[in-house]
Amino acid sequence: MQPSESGVFSAWLEKTDGTRIPIRGTCSIGRAPSNEIVFADDKVSRRHAFVHVQEQTEYWLVDLGSSNGTYLNGRRVSQPIRVRDKDQIGVSKFSLTFRQHATTILNDREATQATKTIQDIKSSNCWLLVADIAGSTQLGKSLSAEELPVVTGRWLAECKEIIEECGGSINKFLGDGFLAYWHDRDRTVAGVVRALEAFKRLQAVANPVFRVVLHHGQVFVGGVVSMGEESLLGKEVNFVFRMEKLAASLHQPALLSEGAQAQLQTLLPTTEIGRHKLPSFEGEFPFFTC
């Protein structure tokens, strides 16, 4: 897309020839023709990397375990990392500049849409899943600078594929993990079960070792749809992140809340592992593993 064709958008990737590619949701980079940005070069992986919008104004660069790496301002990316205006992204011999308008100068249509979105925030029953690498600091010490990005990137790529094939979406990346979600609709639960089973198979490989926690509850959902991003708000989102900390302290590879277990109990064998407190929440809660 040429600058004259693009109109005004909040963020874009700019090639060295001035071509601008707007970022709406996720902008993928790679050798395969299906990517938004295609670099026909043997040193570029078919699915090399992507830039992902989250929280409406944050953009994160994610390498997908490419053999030759993705670079941000000259440094190889070993985990998802936030990008800012004028940052340089390197893929093989190619260079992209990340550009982002300041939120204070959004065009009138975007401002109107954002205002409408705030007014239209609604509640929705959702499945919330957090996955993160266990002992990421130790993993970084045990692998070389060349090995670490490949291991973490390929893990993220496999997780992203599992989530999307099972009908879910990754909402945000967290450095060494991510938050994914499903709107609770007909047959959604079957996709969640398939995802859990796929994650269990991936955990058996243990490269890297990682945790998965799952919760089901009512979430407030907003976001600028034209940007391909939904914001998830409310205490249930905080609850699932507290669960992730609990899973780490209990050394549990998989942890389910009572809300999730109640929905899954006829479809997936679970075992209660006791009642536990969570910071900022009153009382004790039963938790399960599968």
Side-chain angles (χ1 to χ4, degrees), residues 36-244:
E36 278 79 19
I37 298 178
V38 179
F39 291 133
D41 186 277
D42 289 342
K43 292 186 177 180
V44 178
S45 300
R46 291 182 57 79
R47 296 185 305 152
H48 198 101
F50 62 84
V51 176
H52 174 81
V53 60
Q54 57 194 50
E55 300 298 337
Q56 300 184 23
T57 59
E58 288 186 17
Y59 292 81
W60 287 60
L61 174 64
V62 182
D63 178 81
L64 293 172
S66 59
S67 298
N68 293 299
T70 303
Y71 292 80
L72 180 64
N73 299 325
R75 299 185 63 178
R76 186 165 182 172
V77 173
S78 60
Q79 62 182 27
I81 186 170
R82 187 175 177 181
V83 290
R84 291 175 169 79
D85 186 44
K86 299 182 182 179
D87 276 350
Q88 299 295 309
I89 298 172
V91 175
S92 183
K93 62 183 179 182
F94 305 98
S95 180
L96 297 164
T97 302
F98 173 77
R99 298 305 312 271
Q100 180 180 11
H101 284 302
T103 56
T104 54
I105 57 172
L106 292 176
N107 65 64
D108 291 341
R109 188 172 71 175
E110 288 174 319
T112 301
Q113 178 66 53
T115 301
K116 183 176 184 298
T117 298
I118 292 172
Q119 295 173 345
D120 288 350
I121 285 179
K122 56 186 179 181
S123 63
S124 174
N125 287 328
C126 289
W127 292 91
L128 302 173
L129 182 147
V130 172
D132 74 319
I133 295 172
S136 56
T137 301
Q138 291 301 317
L139 180 68
K141 293 179 179 178
S142 66
L143 297 175
S144 69
E146 291 74 27
E147 292 171 323
L148 180 61
V150 175
V151 170
T152 58
R154 288 180 181 173
W155 174 73
L156 282 169
E158 289 179 288
C159 290
K160 183 174 185 290
E161 184 174 353
I162 289 171
I163 293 293
E164 293 177 351
E165 285 186 350
C166 294
S169 301
I170 291 183
N171 180 255
K172 63 175 62 178
F173 291 91
L174 309 164
D176 58 355
F178 60 87
L179 167 66
Y181 73 107
W182 290 257
H183 286 290
D184 194 358
R185 303 186 177 106
D186 291 344
R187 295 184 295 277
T188 296
V189 65
V192 173
V193 171
R194 290 200 313 274
L196 284 177
E197 291 172 340
F199 280 126
K200 287 183 71 174
R201 292 192 293 271
L202 194 57
Q203 284 178 322
V205 177
N207 188 31
V209 176
F210 67 97
R211 292 179 292 267
V212 174
V213 300
L214 181 69
H215 180 46
H216 181 275
Q218 190 175 66
V219 175
F220 292 102
V221 181
V224 181
V225 177
S226 64
M227 293 170 62
E229 189 267 350
E230 286 187 317
S231 293
L232 306 179
L233 310 168
K235 66 177 184 179
E236 306 300 340
V237 178
N238 294 333
F239 191 92
V240 76
F241 282 116
R242 296 287 190 267
M243 282 181 62
E244 187 277 326

